Amino acid sequence: MGTSYYNVWTNDPFIYKSTISGVNVYDLGGDLLSILGFIDYENTSGVWADDNYVYIATSVSGIYRCDVSTVTGTVTLTPYKQYPEITSNYVYYIHGGGDYLCATTASGVDHYDLTTGSGISTTISGISKCFQTERGEFYYSYNPSDADKELHVVYDNTNNWTREALGYVYVVENNINDIHVTETTSRYNNGNVLFLATSSGVVVIEEKPGDEENNNYKYYYINT
């Protein structure tokens, strides 16, 4: 059906490592071979945490969460978003920043305000990873099997969106396997710098907000 992107997330003082059977919790400043706690949940597909909650993506029942203060003891997971509040209960990946959380699923992309719990979404297949910025915009990779590979950015995080309402579409030659964004580090108009790991190497994009067609690109491709 799709791919689960088991990941590692760090939020002081803990490191969280997702596995198919749950999340291992490690001490960021201690012995990384020693597990401090384990959040037990079969069919886990990803993890993200802030200072208050650990959010756990699953491939069967949406997104759960637990209080950070419990991760080294007795953990009680509660549902955070499940269908129909999320496009699908099969969640591929989650990533957050500031007051926001983004999720990619088998049926689309969801974006939530962690303060209010409200969300927006789009329905689309062929999505893999996402990156959520602290100031609100978010990016996700679109890797259809029969069309160009793309990175989509959404600037308006207050309304459901369609392809026609996207902030910008970056066309990339090869599958996008991972995304990282450094915020407001572009030389132009407080834009971001994007790092895309593709199947043929790395693409670095320095954004020019409002003039995206003239963004700066650097390509670091693998010799074949």
Side-chain angles (χ1 to χ4, degrees):
M1 185 175 185
T3 301
S4 298
Y5 297 95
Y6 308 113
N7 67 309
V8 175
W9 178 255
T10 298
N11 192 63
D12 195 15
F14 301 119
I15 298 172
Y16 305 94
K17 180 183 179 182
S18 61
T19 73
I20 193 171
S21 58
V23 176
N24 294 331
V25 182
Y26 302 87
D27 181 358
L28 178 60
D31 180 4
L32 298 184
L33 298 179
S34 177
I35 298 176
L36 288 180
F38 179 67
I39 304 171
D40 185 6
Y41 196 90
E42 291 292 332
N43 301 299
T44 289
S45 56
V47 64
W48 182 79
D50 59 16
D51 291 341
N52 300 310
Y53 293 100
V54 180
Y55 295 84
I56 296 176
T58 79
S59 60
V60 292
S61 54
I63 301 172
Y64 282 73
R65 72 179 183 181
C66 67
D67 196 294
V68 167
S69 65
T70 67
V71 298
T72 60
T74 303
V75 176
T76 300
L77 285 173
T78 58
Y80 178 65
K81 297 295 177 181
Q82 296 179 316
Y83 186 81
E85 286 191 299
I86 193 169
T87 48
S88 170
N89 279 334
Y90 195 129
V91 183
Y92 294 157
Y93 192 75
I94 55 174
H95 184 264
D99 294 327
Y100 305 103
L101 181 71
C102 188
T104 59
T105 80
S107 299
V109 182
D110 298 87
H111 176 271
Y112 300 104
D113 184 317
L114 294 175
T115 302
T116 65
S118 61
I120 59 173
S121 66
T122 196
T123 301
I124 187 174
S125 59
I127 301 302
S128 50
K129 286 195 171 183
C130 60
F131 192 100
Q132 174 66 57
T133 70
E134 291 192 7
R135 63 183 181 181
E137 71 261 57
F138 54 100
Y139 303 78
Y140 57 89
S141 53
Y142 174 54
N143 294 319
S145 59
D146 56 351
D148 289 334
K149 318 309 177 187
E150 298 174 344
L151 179 73
H152 295 176
V153 55
V154 179
Y155 296 130
D156 178 6
N157 63 25
T158 60
N159 295 287
N160 293 342
W161 72 100
T162 62
R163 184 181 179 83
E164 292 72 28
L166 284 167
Y168 195 70
V169 175
Y170 298 90
V171 178
V172 182
E173 291 183 1
N174 303 99
N175 272 16
I176 301 170
N177 300 321
D178 208 351
I179 310 165
H180 184 74
V181 178
T182 58
E183 298 185 47
T184 67
T185 52
S186 170
R187 292 170 291 175
Y188 309 101
N189 303 328
N190 268 340
N192 301 324
V193 176
L194 320 179
F195 301 83
L196 309 181
T198 78
S199 54
S200 62
V202 176
V203 180
V204 181
I205 305 170
E206 186 177 22
E207 290 185 319
K208 293 184 176 182
D211 186 25
E212 284 90 350
E213 290 187 1
N214 292 307
N215 288 335
N216 285 335
Y217 290 77
K218 292 286 186 181
Y219 301 91
Y220 303 90
Y221 283 159
I222 301 168
N223 290 328
T224 57

